[in-house]
Amino acid sequence: MCGIIGILSNTLVAERLIDGLSRLEYRGYDSAGVATIYENTITKRRAEGKLQSLKDLLQQKPLPGTVGIGHTRWATHGSPTHQNAHPHATDRVAVVHNGIIENYQLLKDGLIKDGVIFKSETDTEVVVHLIDQALQAGKSPDIAVKETLSKLHGAFALAIIFKEHSDMLMGARRGSPLVLGICDDELFLGSDAWALAPWTQKICYLEEGDVVVMKRDNGFAYTIFNEAWQPINRLVKHLNLATGAASKGGYSHFMLKEIFEQSQTLSDTFLSLIDEETHTSRINLPIDFSGEHVRIRLIACGSSYYASLTAKYWFEKYAQVLCEVDLASEFRYRDPVLSKHDICVFVSQSGETSDTLAALNLAKSKGCITLAIVNVPESSMTRAADHHILTLAGPEIGVASTKAFSAQLAVLCALALHAAAQRKSMDTISTHLRELLHVPKLVAQVLQDVSLFDELGLRLSQTRDVLFIGRGTNYPIALEGALKLKEISYIHAEAYAAGELKHGPIALVDKLTPLIAIAPNDGWFEKTSSNIQEVATRGAPIIVLTDDPMFTVNCLEFRKILLPKSTPLSACFIYTAAVQCIAYYTALHKGTDVDQPRNLAKSVTVE
Ligand code: M6R
């Protein structure tokens, strides 16, 4: 979602604002803009579409100034036009904003009554006019911001510059992430630390309700105010982030690179959780899974939710503990019955997803034990949860989650076995843990030759609808396969538990709707085979992903992709890589924007 950058310096900032925005591109956006103060005037440059358009504009019309703010906008209120692109400004103040001002219409109505003329359809513009009104009334910038913030409802992060104070930059955080970057001779704001990494690794993560006032006087200084507007010291961390631009490393897309990295990232994640020599769990959490009343609740969104659905099978089968899985956006509003025996596990690549974060805060407020499984180390969720485990997938740039998803599966599986060990619910734990250590090799085998996925992608790129089926842990993988396909190829895809087909969805089957069946030769193979046959009989093209070399179906169009021999534990990792490849090659043949698909954001920081 929207990305924010701010720089207060002694040297020109426009080029670096763009550079910072390019490091936030992965979040997803549809317009971009920057503003600086130069010769006592706020000047903006804004452009629709990709950052290149803004760069071209700045080439034609350079932007001097040593203080500035920049923004990549993921449209919420108002379409992605030049007029709605940030920064929004009056003569006195310019603002960039990530999040949603929920009471903007009420505020806007009041401002219009006061004679204010709005130039955009955004919720952000009310913030600009409220600060402007306060400045006009003679308030200092910090008081103008303080008064404005007190009128806003919703979740947001803001960066603000003032025409009359070109030595000042302000930031505010409520619900959306914002970091302060510190140098002796410069100060920065960013939606994440990665955006600031080339200039500083001294980072302060602003907390909920914090406002930072940054000033350039004789030197550079900042003050952080908490929600009660008390000056407060926040921890400054020295990070060690890569400073280079993310590279595709010779692959045509980040997504393809990330699919291929999985053998390594899975290995990294497993080795952080499992002792290679003893095949015992290395998970060291002060959480007791053994209690009689313990309940596991897995809460997440999107792909992370599907990883959680997969894990339900493991927690119940291996640890024999009741496990419920919730969509964070539902959980947070449905008055869930929670108890202090509940171990609430929040699964998220970014660690910033607003619904998951809100669900986490709800669980905490009810006294539950909270554990975050997160890929971004210094994210809001790692800081908010009682405990966390990192998925070691490394930075994931493609908007469609791939290696982060498989790393979530890895952590959740190892966690379920760790819980099983504490609960003494099975006696083959070390065999299972050893088996997990072989998974990276199996995933590498899937990716050894992707030509069949490429051919299949060409075929699927001509379809409008696709059905996926799977059973057991492969049912959530079918859901994930359908989500991946929708996200990056824009082809309508649905996934069902194979046994559910004849309870309704089979009505969708016709010769134009291919079926992709995830069908390892496991305990349910015969049942899934019958389901495939039922669809084949009705004329649908059949694509079967299986490890059974003999499997065949008599139908008009049949394709089989033979995958490495799997076990009930390893299957979901193998079939995940396969469905990712299917989605990737289909999108490639359709010619869509694989890494930044339309309308999607990497980090969903609004509801
Ligand atoms: O960062 P999170 O894992 O919390 O994000 C959750 C979803 O937004 C995310 O998984 C989304 O569904 C991806 N685009 C999937 O590819």
Side-chain angles (χ1 to χ4, degrees):
M1 305 233 128
C2 305
I4 286 180
I5 190 104
I7 309 180
L8 179 64
S9 176
N10 282 320
T11 59
L12 299 181
V13 294
E15 214 170 287
R16 283 187 299 154
L17 288 172
I18 298 289
D19 193 23
L21 290 180
S22 68
R23 294 172 74 84
L24 293 171
E25 266 191 303
Y26 74 93
R27 297 164 75 90
Y29 69 104
D30 30 45
S31 62
V34 289
T36 62
I37 302 172
Y38 180 62
E39 292 186 338
N40 209 26
T41 308
I42 293 175
T43 313
K44 299 178 288 187
R45 301 275 184 265
R46 301 179 296 172
E48 285 175 30
K50 295 292 173 196
L51 215 46
Q52 190 56 46
S53 314
L54 182 63
K55 286 184 193 166
D56 295 344
L57 182 64
L58 280 163
Q59 284 260 307
Q60 294 156 25
K61 295 182 175 179
L63 197 60
T66 57
V67 59
I69 51 179
H71 191 259
T72 45
R73 173 173 189 254
W74 186 84
T76 57
H77 295 62
S79 45
T81 58
H82 175 268
Q83 207 58 19
N84 289 329
H86 297 212
H88 292 283
T90 63
D91 285 347
R92 291 170 202 82
V93 58
V95 172
V96 290
H97 162 219
N98 172 15
I100 292 179
I101 311 297
E102 285 170 357
N103 58 338
Y104 87 100
Q105 194 57 56
L106 197 72
L107 296 168
K108 188 168 177 175
D109 293 346
L111 286 159
I112 289 171
K113 273 199 197 121
D114 292 345
V116 170
I117 295 169
F118 278 78
K119 295 183 213 134
S120 76
E121 303 157 281
T122 64
D123 51 339
T124 309
E125 208 184 332
V126 299
V127 182
V128 181
H129 291 298
L130 289 171
I131 298 174
D132 188 86
Q133 274 191 340
L135 292 171
Q136 283 192 62
K139 309 275 169 66
S140 62
D142 42 351
I143 298 302
V145 169
K146 181 183 174 191
E147 286 184 3
T148 299
L149 292 177
S150 69
K151 294 176 186 159
L152 306 180
H153 298 169
F156 50 80
L158 301 167
I160 312 159
I161 52 173
F162 307 87
K163 173 188 142 182
E164 298 293 342
H165 301 267
S166 57
D167 53 357
M168 187 177 195
L169 170 64
M170 282 184 74
R173 179 200 164 143
R174 197 193 291 165
S176 297
L178 192 65
V179 306
L180 163 67
I182 302 157
C183 264
D184 290 344
D185 52 1
E186 282 177 319
L187 291 167
F188 304 89
L189 286 173
S191 289
D192 61 31
W194 157 257
L196 310 182
W199 315 307
T200 184
Q201 306 251 342
K202 246 174 108 175
I203 297 291
C204 173
Y205 290 87
L206 297 182
E207 306 249 326
E208 273 305 289
D210 281 358
V211 173
V212 58
V213 181
M214 305 148 83
K215 285 192 179 156
R216 175 183 55 197
D217 200 349
N218 284 327
F220 285 79
Y222 66 89
T223 311
I224 299 174
F225 296 91
N226 65 12
E227 207 162 8
W229 209 261
Q230 305 293 325
I232 190 152
N233 285 325
R234 297 280 184 222
L235 186 69
V236 175
K237 296 193 171 180
H238 295 257
L239 306 181
N240 191 15
L241 299 169
T243 55
S247 140
K248 290 185 196 147
Y251 289 91
S252 43
H253 292 94
F254 282 109
M255 182 178 175
L256 189 62
K257 175 176 172 248
E258 288 158 4
I259 289 173
F260 272 83
E261 279 172 351
Q262 287 177 111
S263 170
Q264 185 58 50
T265 52
L266 278 168
S267 169
D268 294 344
T269 302
F270 281 132
L271 289 174
S272 72
L273 306 166
I274 303 165
D275 189 304
E276 223 180 339
E277 308 272 302
T278 59
H279 305 127
T280 50
S281 170
R282 295 179 60 180
I283 295 175
N284 186 14
L285 284 174
I287 299 180
D288 182 6
F289 286 89
S290 68
E292 194 191 335
H293 301 292
V294 159
R295 230 174 7 165
I296 310 291
R297 285 179 171 275
L298 303 170
I299 298 142
C301 301
S303 292
S304 303
Y305 172 71
Y306 295 145
S308 306
L309 276 184
T310 318
K312 177 181 167 74
Y313 290 83
W314 294 323
F315 276 105
E316 296 197 340
K317 179 173 174 161
Y318 300 139
Q320 290 172 24
V321 58
L322 190 68
C323 176
E324 289 184 15
V325 189
D326 267 288
L327 286 166
S329 54
E330 290 298 312
F331 177 87
R332 64 181 290 194
Y333 290 121
R334 71 169 167 74
D335 294 327
V337 178
L338 296 168
S339 94
K340 64 179 183 350
H341 302 292
D342 288 353
I343 302 172
C344 294
V345 184
F346 299 86
V347 184
S348 173
Q349 187 286 131
S350 61
E352 301 294 347
T353 302
S354 87
D355 283 320
T356 313
L357 192 55
L360 194 166
N361 287 326
L362 171 70
K364 260 182 98 168
S365 73
K366 301 277 182 190
C368 305
I369 300 157
T370 58
L371 167 66
I373 296 178
V374 172
N375 193 45
V376 178
E378 293 291 346
S379 60
S380 300
M381 281 179 220
T382 50
R383 282 175 288 121
D386 300 326
H387 314 285
H388 68 265
I389 301 179
L390 293 178
T391 47
L392 301 182
E396 190 180 64
I397 306 295
V399 163
S401 188
T402 52
K403 60 176 182 170
F405 175 79
S406 55
Q408 289 170 345
L409 292 177
V411 170
L412 286 162
C413 192
L415 186 67
L417 290 167
H418 170 81
Q422 283 194 1
R423 296 175 69 79
K424 300 189 177 28
S425 50
M426 63 190 285
D427 50 19
T428 50
I429 293 170
S430 66
T431 316
H432 283 72
L433 289 173
R434 192 173 48 213
E435 202 188 316
L436 285 180
L437 292 174
H438 289 303
V439 160
K441 276 201 193 112
L442 297 172
V443 170
Q445 278 174 35
V446 176
L447 300 170
Q448 226 159 39
D449 177 6
V450 287
S451 56
L452 283 181
F453 297 118
D454 194 354
E455 274 172 37
L456 176 61
L458 179 61
R459 163 71 180 88
L460 291 177
S461 65
Q462 292 140 23
T463 62
R464 217 189 53 183
D465 308 290
V466 176
L467 281 175
F468 283 77
I469 56 168
R471 276 176 188 263
T473 52
N474 289 313
Y475 163 47
I477 304 308
L479 288 165
E480 172 64 3
L483 179 67
K484 284 291 87 93
L485 191 66
K486 288 188 258 231
E487 282 188 301
I488 61 167
S489 74
Y490 316 145
I491 291 172
H492 170 238
E494 300 284 340
Y496 293 94
E500 271 298 293
L501 262 191
K502 53 172 112 39
H503 297 288
I506 202 161
L508 295 172
V509 167
D510 62 18
K511 62 181 187 323
L512 297 177
T513 309
L515 175 86
I516 300 182
I518 301 180
N521 192 344
D522 57 16
W524 303 291
F525 188 50
E526 283 179 10
K527 296 189 188 305
T528 310
S529 303
S530 306
N531 301 134
I532 296 169
Q533 198 56 61
E534 287 153 11
V535 176
T537 309
R538 287 164 178 84
I542 302 291
I543 298 140
V544 176
L545 310 179
T546 185
D547 57 355
D548 184 331
M550 306 310 288
F551 184 78
T552 188
V553 178
N554 194 8
C555 63
L556 286 177
E557 188 182 342
F558 173 61
R559 282 165 201 259
K560 179 167 78 180
I561 296 190
L562 192 61
L563 292 162
K565 189 85 203 121
S566 64
T567 64
L569 193 60
S570 64
C572 66
F573 296 95
I574 292 171
Y575 290 85
T576 289
V579 295
Q580 291 169 348
C581 287
I582 292 173
Y584 174 77
Y585 284 104
T586 306
L588 190 71
H589 287 293
K590 270 200 89 176
T592 52
D593 187 346
V594 171
D595 283 334
Q596 289 177 7
R598 70 182 181 204
N599 306 338
L600 296 182
K602 183 75 186 158
S603 180
V604 182
T605 50
V606 297
E607 279 190 59

